[in-house]
Amino acid sequence: MSRYRTPLKNVRGLGTAKTGTEHFVHQRLTATALVFLGIWFVWFVLSLVGSDYLTAADAVSKPWNAVLLVGFLVAAFWHAQLGLQVVLEDYIHNSLAALALQVSVKFIAVLGAIVSIFAVARIALAA
């Protein structure tokens, strides 16, 4: 295995990060989940076109719809964070700026997911 490493990498101790495969798999799993959940979400939204707030709140408060909506939100925010992470790793070369942006993206994704899930839970449990 060491014959594939350059002499400079042997001196610096740099090798694979060993997390690329995990990131790749998570990105593909969230994309696959978003395909199915996205189809359901479009159907759900189209079925509510022309409805009033009470009808929409009643539809969201049904257990299956609430669970699928939360799943869609989690998959969407997670997939977005993974995609932005790749873009930042590829195009931001300043270490401090890259770290600040990575932390900001993760924070915004988690905050967005929490707020969205709270909104769905509030509607689902209030009705």
Side-chain angles (χ1 to χ4, degrees), residues 44-61 123:
F44 181 69
V45 169
L46 289 177
S47 71
L48 293 174
V49 169
S51 300
D52 60 345
Y53 174 78
L54 293 176
T55 305
D58 186 47
V60 171
S61 67
I123 292 170

Side-chain angles (χ1 to χ4, degrees), residues 81-92 102:
Q81 184 272 320
L82 290 171
L84 287 171
Q85 179 181 344
V86 170
V87 171
L88 292 174
E89 288 171 352
D90 287 346
Y91 295 108
I92 306 297
Q102 290 284 4

Side-chain angles (χ1 to χ4, degrees), residues 7-35:
L8 183 59
K9 285 196 180 215
N10 285 331
V11 170
R12 288 186 179 166
L14 301 175
T16 63
K18 296 184 176 56
T19 60
T21 305
E22 181 180 356
H23 182 92
F24 177 85
V25 169
H26 286 162
Q27 208 168 21
R28 295 318 180 265
L29 286 174
T30 55
T32 305
L34 281 173
V35 168

